[in-house]
Amino acid sequence: MDLLTVIGIILAFVAIIGGNALEGGHIDSLLQLTAFMIVIGGTIGAIMIQVPMATFMRSLKMLMWVFLPPKLALNETIEKIIEWSNVARKEGLLGLEQVVETEPDEFARKGLQLLVDGSEPETIRNILEVELATKEERDGAASKVFEGMGGYAPTIGIIGAVMGLIHVMNNLADPSKLGSGIAVAFVATIYGVGSANLLFLPMASKLKSHVQRSAKYREMVIDGIISIAEGENPRNIESKLQGYL
Amino acid sequence: MDLLTVIGIILAFVAIIGGNALEGGHIDSLLQLTAFMIVIGGTIGAIMIQVPMATFMRSLKMLMWVFLPPKLALNETIEKIIEWSNVARKEGLLGLEQVVETEPDEFARKGLQLLVDGSEPETIRNILEVELATKEERDGAASKVFEGMGGYAPTIGIIGAVMGLIHVMNNLADPSKLGSGIAVAFVATIYGVGSANLLFLPMASKLKSHVQRSAKYREMVIDGIISIAEGENPRNIESKLQGYL
Amino acid sequence: MDLLTVIGIILAFVAIIGGNALEGGHIDSLLQLTAFMIVIGGTIGAIMIQVPMATFMRSLKMLMWVFLPPKLALNETIEKIIEWSNVARKEGLLGLEQVVETEPDEFARKGLQLLVDGSEPETIRNILEVELATKEERDGAASKVFEGMGGYAPTIGIIGAVMGLIHVMNNLADPSKLGSGIAVAFVATIYGVGSANLLFLPMASKLKSHVQRSAKYREMVIDGIISIAEGENPRNIESKLQGYL
Amino acid sequence: MDLLTVIGIILAFVAIIGGNALEGGHIDSLLQLTAFMIVIGGTIGAIMIQVPMATFMRSLKMLMWVFLPPKLALNETIEKIIEWSNVARKEGLLGLEQVVETEPDEFARKGLQLLVDGSEPETIRNILEVELATKEERDGAASKVFEGMGGYAPTIGIIGAVMGLIHVMNNLADPSKLGSGIAVAFVATIYGVGSANLLFLPMASKLKSHVQRSAKYREMVIDGIISIAEGENPRNIESKLQGYL
Amino acid sequence: MDLLTVIGIILAFVAIIGGNALEGGHIDSLLQLTAFMIVIGGTIGAIMIQVPMATFMRSLKMLMWVFLPPKLALNETIEKIIEWSNVARKEGLLGLEQVVETEPDEFARKGLQLLVDGSEPETIRNILEVELATKEERDGAASKVFEGMGGYAPTIGIIGAVMGLIHVMNNLADPSKLGSGIAVAFVATIYGVGSANLLFLPMASKLKSHVQRSAKYREMVIDGIISIAEGENPRNIESKLQGYL
């Protein structure tokens, strides 16, 4: 559970809603269904036009990473790789055959299989790097979905506000409603700027961090697998992989 | 058919026009021919000054990709490449001669022809990479046409709005028309910001995704063709190309 | 003659001036010498502070490319290079000596001279790539002159508008002039935003396209010259150079 | 102690608060708890949603670098490396064993240990570069925490201001409070723009400078250690390392 | 003397101050000590928080480059390098010993000394490239000081303007002062936007051009020195170095 995300969301909303209440603003004046519909509907519509289906679906799946980050136990993985290198030293690369079946991480399993197949180190690196790049691009594109929404929301908020102001301007005859009309129009701005800066943009950045951490983790796995293929001694492998921590 | 694009456009327009209607705004007050003429005419004019003819024409052709994305059957292509590598193993590279004639994808056909001609792997890579880069640059530039329009539209909307405000300011003597005058001026802003954020920018991004997918597809084809030229075994080729999925 | 530029300029101005007229605005209210003086004088001043003399002069020369793009006959050049490779095959590299004298393009001529001198392929590549990079940087910097002007014009337009508003605010005593005063102030905004988005920025982009096309053309010439130096067969050379189209 | 930071903060606040006082503004009208709560609470909340816990904690630790920059004695380190190379020349790489124990800098110590272990130069470089990259990414991400806050603060200031304006608009009936209501609303803008431009963004840049200096320092250490491993003569090593000053 | 800078500054100020005067604005209404104090004090304060001392001092030294650009006689340097290569051909690399002492440019002198010492071409390249990169980073960072000021000035101008508006809003009771109060507040905007766009940003760009030119010059020197070390013939060296012009 990503505590920081939870605390951050609570803190931001308490600060802003609470601050508004202390200033004497009523929460009612900030709740407006049409503004919500314009900003959220417009933003989701824009992002659907923007991305291919696969990226859109992937971004929905990745959304939970904001609260439940993917587990990447770098320390344990280093220990596992050292163990594999010991197995390979004692029993030869074929000794890793049993390990392949029990390894839960799909990426490491592919690397181990290539080791067992006796592929050249250079070949293993090529194959694994293509896979790393593909996964990183796919997840990077998905994390940009929220960045895109963070870009559209404020401008669509402005569209909502300007439409509201047009409505007000067309009814200037009744000045008593001028103030509340403008107030209603401004709510769309708050929804746009607020959703972008308190949800979409920070979430996109957190997802991007996880994508980079995963890529780093996979780079470490590649480095370890290649070192085993090249028959480096376990102590050197440990020394190198420690650098990733 | 790219359903996401269609749903996105409908969702965005329903949300914004519907939201406006619910707030009590009349659709009439958002329909204005002169504002449309200023924003769209100015934006198209600006982009024509911006890009060379070839890029402009290419962007018009690529526009349909927003609704009908180019088909890139990666899975089937991997199967085809494995088949080619089996043919090459059994009959030699010359055995691919018949395949060349029936291969529908122009890029893969060029690669196959180079294989049949017996070119060196390094030569094949060079030739195909030049072609990949040229195509990627051309289509990338064309997808930036819509990005450029998304940049110009809001600023030209502002020009339209300011011209409208100047007109209003010069006729302050009749305050009864003040409100509706300002309302009219604001419509240009909505056209500019709206067309940019609900059409031009998301479309440019979708096209860019397709350009990147095509480049990725061609990289995979190059990788496969080179592997055949180097006589790698089909199982390794499959393992490597799977990484592109 | 770059028709797209001409049509674009006409379309943009007709749309904006015409739209304004249809809305009932007088063209007179958009013509203001002092606003023009502030925006254009300030923008040119800022760009003169920004760039070295050589870049400034180069940008003036390149300006005509917006209407008369540099001619880069890629197809004909490929034919010429194939011809050269045939000459080199039959008569040896020294056979290219006469070609050197008649080749109109200075860059290709330098490459041919290096071939005739019998320089190593690697040396030829180094020498020509240094020249390509120098020319590309020089012209790229010159095309950024207009990008810089497109950045300064709107902000200087704002300076002009705010100065106008200050003038208005200091004379609030006479409210009858309030409207027309504000109108006058706004014209500077239109000049700034308009000149940037309808002239400077699109022109900078078009020049940048030509700079990239020229670099691409020179890359192709290098590729061709090197292939001749390495004695590749004309058919392969053609196959490779076709990739640049 | 980073004097420039201290003088900068004092200068900025004296200039702005003093300038405001000279214009006749009361400091009271700039002190507002609710605006402070909205802007700072919202900004901290947003950044907590944005970054992983490790990055957040690291950024808090790095914050003191703004006042107490990390000590990187490049000159002394060059002298130390020359000394090590002399030791290695006279006593062999094993002679560095005692040096390892007394070297205070963890990074240099790891490099020395690899030298003593007799690792290949290429292996040493790989291991140290992985470590350098990991440290640089970690600290770079941490310095971007403040850049992120500098991005959120002004937009959250705008949310605060617009909420204030909505409150004012809903109470237009009492025009005597209009002015002071707007004034209160504007304070949130000042907090947002001010905290971003006088604290968050400049601090982020200063931290980024320190991160780059540390990376440069570590590159120099790698260069020195590798040169010792390759047995280069001390004079050449000095000549090369001087280039880092 | 950089005439373009001088003419640019004069042109920009004449256009803006003159344009304002022609519009009927008094220069007095643009001269305001407190606004100047807020904008310039705040901007300098922010930049002091932003950069380390060494960068700050270097930027002050480089400031004069705006008017007196560093002299980089590329043509003469090519002639000198050709001469050196002739000396090296006739008398061997040791023949360059006298040249080292009289060479005024520190960077070229270091390269010559390495030649005389008989270092390997690869070693010379490494040593000189480290020095080039260090110098380029240092001067690049210093030129970004003014870019930073150009970023802070407009936002601090907005702080000044909003503080002025708050002051006005708190004194709405006396509407006769409303206009002049707002006018005073706007002056801070002009100082911020003006100093950024007419001084800081263009100066930063000019300095960056000089930094790039210096790096290019040093690249050429490295290329020449390496060519001498590799014993290339003077004609080829000239042909290559001409590419830098």
Side-chain angles (χ1 to χ4, degrees):
Chain A
M1 184 63 155
D2 189 331
L3 264 182
L4 218 54
T5 301
V6 178
I7 298 176
I9 292 178
I10 295 172
L11 176 57
F13 280 86
V14 166
I16 289 175
I17 306 295
N20 185 49
L22 286 180
E23 269 188 52
H26 288 282
I27 182 82
D28 285 12
S29 62
L30 296 182
L31 293 179
Q32 229 184 295
L33 199 66
T34 53
F36 183 83
M37 178 178 153
I38 290 171
V39 172
I40 299 303
T43 301
I44 294 178
I47 207 68
M48 287 173 109
I49 308 174
Q50 170 153 325
V51 297
M53 183 62 90
T55 305
F56 187 70
M57 299 312 290
R58 179 77 192 151
S59 76
L60 293 183
K61 257 189 220 153
M62 277 170 57
L63 192 50
M64 63 161 210
W65 285 6
V66 173
F67 295 98
L68 289 172
K71 275 188 190 135
L72 301 169
L74 270 80
N75 264 315
E76 293 170 31
T77 305
I78 293 180
E79 278 170 37
K80 279 203 298 190
I81 293 174
I82 305 297
E83 212 182 286
W84 299 342
S85 84
N86 280 319
V87 170
R89 287 227 142 188
K90 283 177 214 145
E91 315 174 27
L93 290 170
L94 281 175
L96 290 167
E97 202 145 30
Q98 298 143 325
V99 181
V100 177
E101 285 153 32
T102 57
E103 170 58 32
D105 179 55
E106 188 199 359
F107 187 79
R109 199 165 56 236
K110 184 164 188 176
L112 284 166
Q113 185 62 56
L114 288 163
L115 273 181
V116 171
D117 291 353
S119 310
E120 294 291 309
E122 208 43 39
T123 310
I124 301 181
R125 180 180 290 283
N126 281 345
I127 292 179
L128 293 181
E129 280 183 348
V130 163
E131 182 135 355
L132 183 153
T134 302
K135 282 200 158 69
E136 196 179 356
E137 280 166 29
R138 182 198 58 185
D139 288 355
S143 74
K144 275 193 189 160
V145 165
F146 300 101
E147 205 177 299
M149 292 174 82
Y152 291 129
T155 53
I156 293 172
I158 287 171
I159 294 178
V162 174
M163 287 195 314
L165 291 177
I166 289 175
H167 185 48
V168 170
M169 290 295 154
N170 280 327
N171 296 284
L172 270 191
D174 184 357
S176 70
K177 288 185 178 160
L178 179 63
S180 64
I182 295 178
V184 165
F186 281 177
V187 171
T189 310
I190 291 187
Y191 284 3
V193 177
S195 64
N197 288 282
L198 299 177
L199 295 177
F200 301 138
L201 293 177
M203 282 176 175
S205 281
K206 182 154 279 181
L207 291 181
K208 217 184 282 179
S209 295
H210 291 318
V211 173
Q212 285 168 351
R213 275 206 318 143
S214 300
K216 187 106 192 162
Y217 165 82
R218 290 199 186 99
E219 270 175 41
M220 191 189 77
V221 170
I222 295 179
D223 227 354
I225 299 270
I226 298 298
S227 301
I228 295 175
E230 285 172 341
E232 264 185 56
N233 75 57
R235 197 177 154 202
N236 259 7
I237 298 182
E238 185 169 10
S239 190
K240 188 192 287 184
L241 299 190
Q242 293 288 351
Y244 283 99
L245 295 180
Chain B
M1 184 63 155
D2 189 331
L3 264 181
L4 219 53
T5 301
V6 178
I7 298 175
I9 291 178
I10 294 172
L11 176 57
F13 280 87
V14 165
I16 289 175
I17 306 295
N20 185 48
L22 287 179
E23 269 187 52
H26 289 280
I27 183 81
D28 285 13
S29 63
L30 297 182
L31 293 179
Q32 230 185 295
L33 199 66
T34 53
F36 183 83
M37 178 178 154
I38 290 171
V39 173
I40 298 304
T43 301
I44 294 177
I47 206 68
M48 287 173 108
I49 307 174
Q50 171 154 323
V51 297
M53 182 62 90
T55 305
F56 187 71
M57 298 312 289
R58 179 77 191 151
S59 76
L60 292 183
K61 258 188 219 153
M62 276 170 58
L63 192 51
M64 63 161 210
W65 286 5
V66 173
F67 296 99
L68 289 171
K71 275 188 191 136
L72 300 170
L74 269 79
N75 264 315
E76 293 170 32
T77 305
I78 293 180
E79 278 169 38
K80 278 202 301 190
I81 293 174
I82 305 298
E83 213 182 285
W84 299 341
S85 83
N86 280 318
V87 171
R89 287 226 142 190
K90 284 177 213 144
E91 315 174 27
L93 290 171
L94 280 175
L96 291 167
E97 202 144 30
Q98 298 143 324
V99 182
V100 177
E101 284 154 32
T102 58
E103 169 58 33
D105 179 55
E106 186 199 1
F107 188 78
R109 200 164 57 236
K110 183 164 190 176
L112 284 166
Q113 184 61 56
L114 288 163
L115 273 181
V116 171
D117 291 354
S119 310
E120 293 291 309
E122 209 42 40
T123 309
I124 301 181
R125 180 179 291 283
N126 281 344
I127 292 179
L128 293 181
E129 281 183 348
V130 163
E131 183 137 354
L132 183 154
T134 302
K135 281 200 158 67
E136 197 179 356
E137 280 166 30
R138 182 199 59 184
D139 288 355
S143 74
K144 276 193 188 159
V145 165
F146 300 101
E147 205 178 299
M149 291 174 82
Y152 291 130
T155 52
I156 293 173
I158 287 172
I159 293 178
V162 174
M163 287 195 314
L165 290 177
I166 288 175
H167 185 48
V168 170
M169 290 296 153
N170 280 327
N171 296 284
L172 270 192
D174 183 357
S176 70
K177 288 186 179 161
L178 180 62
S180 63
I182 294 178
V184 165
F186 280 177
V187 171
T189 310
I190 291 187
Y191 285 2
V193 177
S195 63
N197 287 282
L198 300 177
L199 294 178
F200 300 138
L201 293 177
M203 282 177 174
S205 281
K206 183 153 277 181
L207 292 182
K208 218 184 283 179
S209 294
H210 290 319
V211 173
Q212 284 168 351
R213 275 204 319 144
S214 299
K216 187 108 193 159
Y217 166 83
R218 289 198 187 101
E219 270 174 41
M220 191 189 76
V221 170
I222 294 179
D223 227 354
I225 299 268
I226 298 297
S227 301
I228 295 174
E230 285 173 341
E232 264 186 57
N233 75 57
R235 196 174 155 205
N236 260 6
I237 297 182
E238 184 169 11
S239 190
K240 187 191 287 184
L241 299 191
Q242 294 287 352
Y244 284 99
L245 295 180
Chain C
M1 184 61 155
D2 188 332
L3 263 183
L4 219 53
T5 301
V6 178
I7 298 175
I9 292 179
I10 293 172
L11 174 58
F13 280 87
V14 165
I16 289 175
I17 306 295
N20 185 50
L22 287 179
E23 269 187 52
H26 288 281
I27 182 82
D28 285 13
S29 62
L30 297 182
L31 293 179
Q32 230 184 293
L33 199 66
T34 53
F36 184 82
M37 176 178 155
I38 290 172
V39 172
I40 299 304
T43 300
I44 295 178
I47 207 66
M48 288 173 107
I49 308 175
Q50 171 155 322
V51 296
M53 183 62 91
T55 305
F56 187 71
M57 298 313 289
R58 178 77 191 151
S59 76
L60 293 182
K61 257 188 219 152
M62 277 171 58
L63 192 50
M64 64 161 210
W65 285 5
V66 173
F67 296 99
L68 290 171
K71 274 187 190 137
L72 301 169
L74 269 80
N75 264 314
E76 293 170 31
T77 305
I78 292 180
E79 278 171 36
K80 277 202 301 190
I81 293 174
I82 304 298
E83 213 183 286
W84 298 341
S85 84
N86 280 319
V87 170
R89 288 225 141 189
K90 284 177 213 143
E91 315 173 26
L93 290 170
L94 281 175
L96 291 166
E97 202 145 28
Q98 297 143 324
V99 181
V100 178
E101 283 154 33
T102 58
E103 169 59 31
D105 177 55
E106 187 200 0
F107 187 79
R109 199 164 59 235
K110 184 164 189 176
L112 284 166
Q113 184 61 56
L114 288 163
L115 273 182
V116 171
D117 291 354
S119 310
E120 294 292 309
E122 208 42 39
T123 309
I124 301 181
R125 180 179 291 281
N126 281 344
I127 292 179
L128 292 181
E129 281 184 347
V130 163
E131 183 136 355
L132 182 154
T134 302
K135 282 200 157 69
E136 195 178 358
E137 281 166 29
R138 182 198 59 185
D139 288 355
S143 74
K144 276 192 188 160
V145 164
F146 299 102
E147 205 177 298
M149 293 174 82
Y152 290 130
T155 52
I156 293 172
I158 286 171
I159 293 178
V162 175
M163 288 195 313
L165 289 177
I166 289 175
H167 185 48
V168 170
M169 289 296 152
N170 280 326
N171 296 284
L172 271 191
D174 184 359
S176 69
K177 288 183 179 164
L178 181 63
S180 64
I182 295 177
V184 165
F186 281 177
V187 172
T189 310
I190 291 187
Y191 285 3
V193 177
S195 63
N197 287 282
L198 299 177
L199 295 177
F200 300 139
L201 292 177
M203 282 175 174
S205 280
K206 183 153 276 181
L207 291 182
K208 218 183 283 178
S209 295
H210 290 319
V211 172
Q212 285 168 350
R213 276 205 319 143
S214 300
K216 188 108 193 157
Y217 166 82
R218 289 198 188 101
E219 270 173 42
M220 191 189 78
V221 170
I222 295 180
D223 227 354
I225 298 268
I226 298 297
S227 300
I228 295 174
E230 286 174 340
E232 263 185 58
N233 75 56
R235 193 172 157 207
N236 262 5
I237 297 182
E238 184 167 12
S239 190
K240 187 191 289 184
L241 299 191
Q242 294 288 352
Y244 284 99
L245 294 181
Chain D
M1 184 63 156
D2 188 332
L3 263 183
L4 217 54
T5 302
V6 178
I7 298 175
I9 292 178
I10 294 172
L11 175 57
F13 281 86
V14 165
I16 290 175
I17 307 294
N20 185 49
L22 286 179
E23 270 189 50
H26 288 281
I27 181 82
D28 285 12
S29 63
L30 296 182
L31 293 179
Q32 229 184 294
L33 199 65
T34 54
F36 183 82
M37 178 177 152
I38 290 171
V39 173
I40 299 303
T43 301
I44 294 178
I47 207 66
M48 288 173 108
I49 307 173
Q50 169 154 326
V51 296
M53 182 63 89
T55 306
F56 187 71
M57 299 311 291
R58 179 77 192 152
S59 77
L60 292 182
K61 256 188 220 152
M62 277 170 58
L63 192 50
M64 63 161 209
W65 285 6
V66 173
F67 296 98
L68 289 171
K71 275 186 190 137
L72 300 170
L74 269 81
N75 263 315
E76 292 170 31
T77 305
I78 292 179
E79 278 171 36
K80 277 203 300 189
I81 292 174
I82 305 297
E83 213 182 285
W84 298 341
S85 84
N86 280 319
V87 170
R89 288 227 141 188
K90 282 177 214 144
E91 314 173 27
L93 290 170
L94 282 175
L96 290 167
E97 201 144 30
Q98 298 144 322
V99 180
V100 177
E101 285 153 32
T102 57
E103 170 57 31
D105 178 55
E106 188 200 359
F107 187 79
R109 199 164 57 234
K110 183 164 190 176
L112 284 167
Q113 184 62 56
L114 288 163
L115 273 181
V116 170
D117 291 353
S119 311
E120 294 291 308
E122 207 43 39
T123 309
I124 301 181
R125 180 179 290 283
N126 281 344
I127 293 178
L128 292 181
E129 280 183 349
V130 164
E131 183 136 354
L132 183 154
T134 303
K135 282 200 157 67
E136 195 178 357
E137 281 167 29
R138 184 198 57 186
D139 288 356
S143 74
K144 275 191 188 159
V145 166
F146 299 101
E147 206 176 299
M149 293 174 81
Y152 291 128
T155 54
I156 293 173
I158 286 170
I159 293 178
V162 174
M163 287 196 313
L165 290 177
I166 288 175
H167 186 48
V168 170
M169 289 297 153
N170 279 327
N171 296 285
L172 271 191
D174 184 357
S176 69
K177 287 184 179 162
L178 181 64
S180 64
I182 294 177
V184 165
F186 281 176
V187 171
T189 309
I190 292 187
Y191 285 3
V193 177
S195 64
N197 287 282
L198 300 176
L199 294 178
F200 300 137
L201 293 177
M203 281 175 175
S205 281
K206 183 154 280 180
L207 291 182
K208 218 183 283 179
S209 295
H210 291 319
V211 173
Q212 285 168 350
R213 276 205 318 142
S214 300
K216 188 108 192 159
Y217 165 83
R218 290 199 187 99
E219 270 174 41
M220 190 189 79
V221 169
I222 295 179
D223 227 354
I225 299 268
I226 298 297
S227 301
I228 295 175
E230 286 173 340
E232 264 186 56
N233 77 55
R235 196 176 156 202
N236 260 6
I237 298 182
E238 184 168 11
S239 191
K240 188 192 289 185
L241 299 190
Q242 294 288 351
Y244 284 99
L245 296 181
Chain E
M1 185 61 157
D2 188 332
L3 263 182
L4 218 52
T5 301
V6 177
I7 298 175
I9 292 178
I10 294 172
L11 174 58
F13 280 87
V14 165
I16 289 174
I17 306 295
N20 186 49
L22 287 179
E23 270 188 50
H26 287 281
I27 182 82
D28 285 11
S29 63
L30 296 181
L31 293 179
Q32 230 184 293
L33 199 65
T34 54
F36 183 82
M37 177 177 153
I38 290 172
V39 173
I40 298 305
T43 301
I44 294 178
I47 207 66
M48 288 173 108
I49 307 175
Q50 170 154 325
V51 296
M53 183 63 90
T55 305
F56 188 71
M57 299 312 291
R58 178 76 191 153
S59 76
L60 293 183
K61 256 188 220 153
M62 277 170 58
L63 193 50
M64 64 161 210
W65 285 6
V66 174
F67 296 98
L68 289 171
K71 275 186 191 137
L72 300 170
L74 269 81
N75 264 316
E76 292 170 32
T77 305
I78 293 179
E79 278 171 36
K80 277 203 301 190
I81 292 174
I82 305 298
E83 212 182 287
W84 298 342
S85 84
N86 280 320
V87 170
R89 288 226 141 189
K90 282 179 214 143
E91 314 173 27
L93 291 170
L94 281 176
L96 291 167
E97 201 145 30
Q98 297 144 325
V99 180
V100 179
E101 284 154 32
T102 57
E103 169 58 31
D105 178 54
E106 188 200 359
F107 187 79
R109 198 164 58 236
K110 184 165 188 175
L112 284 166
Q113 184 61 56
L114 287 164
L115 273 181
V116 171
D117 290 355
S119 309
E120 293 292 309
E122 207 43 39
T123 309
I124 301 181
R125 179 179 291 282
N126 281 344
I127 292 179
L128 292 181
E129 280 183 348
V130 164
E131 183 136 354
L132 182 154
T134 303
K135 282 200 156 70
E136 196 178 356
E137 281 166 30
R138 184 197 57 185
D139 288 356
S143 75
K144 275 191 187 159
V145 165
F146 299 101
E147 206 177 297
M149 292 175 81
Y152 291 129
T155 54
I156 293 173
I158 286 171
I159 293 178
V162 175
M163 288 195 313
L165 290 177
I166 288 175
H167 186 48
V168 170
M169 290 296 154
N170 280 327
N171 296 284
L172 271 190
D174 184 359
S176 69
K177 287 183 178 163
L178 181 63
S180 63
I182 294 177
V184 165
F186 280 177
V187 171
T189 309
I190 291 187
Y191 284 2
V193 177
S195 63
N197 288 282
L198 300 177
L199 295 177
F200 300 138
L201 293 177
M203 282 175 174
S205 281
K206 183 153 277 181
L207 291 181
K208 217 182 284 178
S209 294
H210 290 319
V211 173
Q212 284 168 350
R213 276 205 319 143
S214 299
K216 188 109 193 158
Y217 166 82
R218 289 198 188 100
E219 269 173 43
M220 190 189 79
V221 169
I222 294 180
D223 227 355
I225 299 268
I226 298 297
S227 301
I228 295 174
E230 286 173 340
E232 264 186 57
N233 76 56
R235 195 174 156 204
N236 261 5
I237 298 181
E238 184 167 12
S239 190
K240 187 192 290 186
L241 300 191
Q242 294 288 351
Y244 284 99
L245 295 182

